């Protein structure tokens, strides 16, 4: 094995390790591979850049542009709504319509985009019609993969095969040259899913995409400012007037919790510990005669108040909502293990 072969093996092994460990993004690894091959002299400049001018690469880019255009124009949303309406209340009919539509869309656009588009539609349709979403989502994902076999642009592998055939002087493949094989695969997949649907798990998801990041209950303090309409009124009146917005837990006067009954009179500067949710928290304003003391709301960036223009360094307290993402370093660990307070204060 000569030096060039050793260098190539080292680059290949390094690339495989980076791909498996996901230490870097896939596109970054690809560029680094080309750079390494060029810098080590295994490829000259023309060979290293020839991939950017290849027909498969341009077609793949065009497919992404087409997918983005369909999504931005709303065409895919309309198609998704039609699929939801045509699926009916029968599980067999819904599976047939969804798989057919998804496979057809995957033939001309990126299958991941189609899956992402249909996911909320299928979940909502399942919930409305009392069907198990798992029995529709699994066939949908199967159809998205099988649909890429219907056209030449469905998967990059077909484009590469076509490029090699043309390079060797063989007749080029057309857009639907592989359609007969792909159609047979899609039909077989549909029949198998219908015949073996009893083997699919019966799991009904809940379409709570609108509030999956919502904090259900927040404890905070509200303050009675000098111009509040609640000054001179009783605690009972405050509770009655704000019962739809928050629940009063305790009364704080002079930085101390105060025992008070429903007839106790409210004074300027009194504070109340309340429990509310995130929607009500951000709707609290001066018109209600109360102000937030322990936290600061996020202001509208277009209509920002003077108090909201303070920098992060000047703020002492702020409430955030955060969601733990897939593969996050936070998952499965306690705040102590993460040294959360030391890192983020």
């Amino acid at each position: 094995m000569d030096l060039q072969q050793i260098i190539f093996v080292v680059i290949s092994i390094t690339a495989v390790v980076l791909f498996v460990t996901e230490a870097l993004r896939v596109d970054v690894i690809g560029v680094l591979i080309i750079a390494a091959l060029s810098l080590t002299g295994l490829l000259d400049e023309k060979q290293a850049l020839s991939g950017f001018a290849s027909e498969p690469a341009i077609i793949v880019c065009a497919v992404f542009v087409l997918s983005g255009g369909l999504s931005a124009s709303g065409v895919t949303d309309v198609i998704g709504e039609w699929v939801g309406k045509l699926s009916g209340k029968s599980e067999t009919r819904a599976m047939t319509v969804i798989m057919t539509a998804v496979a057809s869309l995957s033939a001309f656009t990126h299958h991941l985009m189609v899956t992402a588009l249909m996911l909320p539609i299928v979940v909502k349709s399942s919930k409305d019609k009392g069907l198990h979403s798992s029995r529709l989502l699994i066939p949908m994902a199967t159809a998205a993969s099988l649909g890429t076999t219907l056209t030449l642009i469905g998967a990059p592998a077909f484009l590469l095969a076509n490029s090699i055939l043309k390079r060797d002087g063989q007749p080029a493949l057309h857009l639907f040259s592989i359609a007969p094989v792909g159609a047979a695969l899609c039909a077989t997949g549909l029949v198998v899913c219908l015949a073996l649907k009893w083997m699919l798990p019966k799991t009904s998801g809940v379409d709570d995409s609108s509030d999956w990041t919502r904090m259900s209950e927040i404890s905070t303090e509200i303050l009675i400012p000098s111009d509040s309409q609640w000054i001179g009124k009783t605690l009972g009146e405050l509770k009655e007037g704000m019962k739809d917005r928050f629940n009063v837990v305790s009364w704080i006067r002079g930085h101390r919790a105060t025992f008070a009954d429903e007839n106790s009179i409210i004074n300027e500067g009194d504070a109340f510990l309340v429990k509310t949710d995130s929607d009500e928290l951000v709707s609290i304003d001066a018109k209600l005669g109360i102000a937030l003391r322990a936290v600061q709301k996020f202001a509208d960036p277009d209509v920002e108040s003077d108090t909201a223009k303070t920098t992060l360094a000047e703020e002492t307290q702020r409430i955030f909502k955060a969601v733990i993402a897939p593969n996050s370093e936070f998952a499965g660990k306690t705040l102590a293990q993460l040294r959360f307070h030391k890192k983020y204060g």
Side-chain angles (χ1 to χ4, degrees):
M1 183 178 292
D2 59 24
L3 180 60
Q4 284 192 333
Q5 292 174 328
I6 294 174
I7 293 174
F8 177 77
V9 170
V10 171
I11 293 175
S12 300
I13 294 175
T14 304
V16 171
V17 171
L18 290 175
F19 280 126
V20 172
T21 60
E22 298 183 350
L24 298 172
R25 294 205 321 256
V26 175
D27 54 342
V28 174
I29 298 174
V31 172
L32 290 177
I33 292 172
I34 296 175
L37 293 173
S38 178
L39 292 174
T40 55
L42 297 181
L43 296 178
D44 57 33
E45 293 81 357
K46 184 177 180 179
Q47 290 173 325
L49 299 176
S50 62
F52 294 103
S54 67
E55 181 181 340
I58 295 175
I59 294 177
V60 170
C61 292
V63 169
F64 277 104
V65 173
L66 175 62
S67 300
L70 291 173
S71 178
S73 62
V75 173
T76 50
D77 294 332
V78 174
I79 295 174
E81 292 178 2
W82 286 349
V83 171
K85 293 178 180 178
L86 293 173
S87 59
K89 297 183 179 180
S90 167
E91 189 176 76
T92 301
R93 176 180 172 182
M95 191 180 296
T96 302
V97 171
I98 291 172
M99 290 189 68
T100 303
V102 169
S104 300
L105 288 173
S106 297
F108 300 97
T109 61
H110 198 272
H111 64 283
L112 290 180
M113 188 211 75
V114 176
T115 304
L117 161 73
M118 293 299 299
L119 181 61
I121 296 173
V122 172
V123 171
K124 186 177 184 303
S125 178
S126 301
K127 181 181 178 181
D128 294 341
K129 297 168 184 177
L131 302 176
H132 295 289
S133 56
S134 60
R135 290 200 168 194
L136 297 180
L137 290 175
I138 294 176
M140 179 196 73
T142 303
S145 298
L146 293 176
T148 60
T149 63
L150 290 171
T151 61
L152 190 64
I153 63 175
F158 298 138
L159 297 172
L160 292 174
N162 185 47
S163 178
I164 294 174
L165 287 174
K166 290 193 295 184
R167 191 184 307 165
D168 292 342
Q170 302 295 325
L173 298 175
H174 301 292
L175 181 62
F176 295 104
S177 294
I178 61 174
V181 177
L185 289 174
C186 291
T188 302
L190 175 60
V191 171
V192 170
C193 287
L194 291 174
L196 302 179
K197 65 178 181 179
W198 56 272
M199 297 180 62
L200 296 175
K202 292 183 177 181
T203 303
S204 298
V206 179
D207 184 19
D208 57 353
S209 57
S210 61
D211 61 353
W212 67 292
T213 61
R214 182 176 299 167
M215 292 186 289
S216 58
E217 191 174 64
I218 300 171
S219 294
T220 186
E221 292 180 15
I222 60 170
L223 184 69
I224 303 299
S226 58
D227 57 348
S228 174
Q229 68 265 32
W230 298 107
I231 297 176
K233 294 187 177 181
T234 65
L235 176 60
E237 290 175 315
L238 175 65
K239 287 183 176 180
E240 180 63 25
M242 295 294 172
K243 64 181 181 180
D244 295 331
R245 292 183 174 272
F246 53 75
N247 296 321
V248 177
V249 177
S250 64
W251 186 339
I252 303 171
R253 178 174 286 176
H255 303 288
R256 291 184 180 180
T258 304
F259 175 78
D261 57 27
E262 300 292 313
N263 297 319
S264 299
I265 303 299
I266 298 173
N267 296 330
E268 175 188 347
D270 285 350
F272 297 91
L273 178 63
V274 300
K275 287 188 176 181
T276 184
D277 59 32
S278 56
D279 292 335
E280 294 297 340
L281 180 67
V282 297
S283 68
I284 293 177
D285 56 30
K287 295 178 182 178
L288 300 175
I290 55 178
L292 292 174
R293 183 167 80 169
V295 296
Q296 177 185 340
K297 293 186 302 179
F298 290 99
D300 187 335
D302 297 326
V303 187
E304 206 172 32
S305 63
D306 293 335
T307 57
K309 292 180 180 178
T310 57
T311 64
L312 185 61
E314 295 171 340
E315 294 175 1
T316 56
Q317 293 178 339
R318 181 187 281 256
I319 283 184
F320 288 93
K321 288 192 295 185
V323 177
I324 304 302
N327 301 320
S328 169
E329 62 172 332
F330 292 88
K333 296 181 180 179
T334 65
L335 294 180
Q337 291 172 330
L338 293 167
R339 305 178 70 190
F340 187 88
H341 186 268
K342 183 175 180 61
K343 288 183 180 179
Y344 305 104

